[in-house]
Amino acid sequence: VIALIVGPSSTSIVTNGWTQARRLHAYYTVQWARREKTNAALTRVEELMRWKEVSADPVLDISASLVENAPDDLGRWKKLVSTLGPVGTECNCSARVNGKQCTLCKRLRKGLCM
């Protein structure tokens, strides 16, 4: 209501304030998750990544820490690998172009390249 009374320039101040608050919240959540090193903390940072508040880097960092703490836990390995994303992408080029190896990608197997 105050923003409407003061004028349109105050709206940008409120918007910038919310943006800064979200950034600070994301920063401190990541710091907390790095100290906690629990699955719940990782889940919270994954939510921030889905909302595009943080990049995948903190998620990878926390996932790697969880794997280091319990290397026998297959679930933690699955989380880490799923965060890394696909290893290859679909390949539509032929393995050889004019008798030479394709230089556009590195083939992993037929139909899959890097």
Side-chain angles (χ1 to χ4, degrees):
V1 174
I2 295 172
L4 295 174
I5 295 170
V6 175
S9 62
S10 63
T11 307
S12 65
I13 293 170
V14 171
T15 303
N16 290 336
W18 282 113
T19 302
Q20 187 175 11
R22 282 197 324 267
R23 285 182 187 154
L24 281 171
H25 176 263
Y27 172 79
Y28 285 111
T29 302
V30 169
Q31 297 308 311
W32 164 78
R34 285 184 172 142
R35 281 192 318 273
E36 279 296 304
K37 296 181 183 176
T38 62
N39 287 333
L42 175 62
T43 301
R44 183 65 186 115
V45 176
E46 286 174 331
E47 288 174 1
L48 289 174
M49 184 180 74
R50 258 184 269 128
W51 298 336
K52 298 188 185 336
E53 296 290 333
V54 297
S55 67
D57 293 341
V59 177
L60 287 170
D61 183 37
I62 296 163
S63 293
S65 295
L66 289 173
V67 168
E68 287 174 357
N69 290 340
D72 295 336
D73 187 350
L74 189 58
R76 291 181 176 191
W77 279 101
K78 287 180 181 179
K79 283 261 192 190
L80 177 62
V81 171
S82 69
T83 304
L84 289 171
V87 174
T89 56
E90 187 176 349
C91 179
N92 294 325
C93 63
S94 61
R96 297 202 170 270
V97 178
N98 296 329
K100 296 182 178 180
Q101 184 75 21
C102 176
T103 57
L104 298 175
C105 63
K106 296 180 181 180
R107 290 181 56 98
L108 299 173
R109 64 177 185 195
K110 185 176 181 181
L112 189 64
C113 67
M114 276 178 49

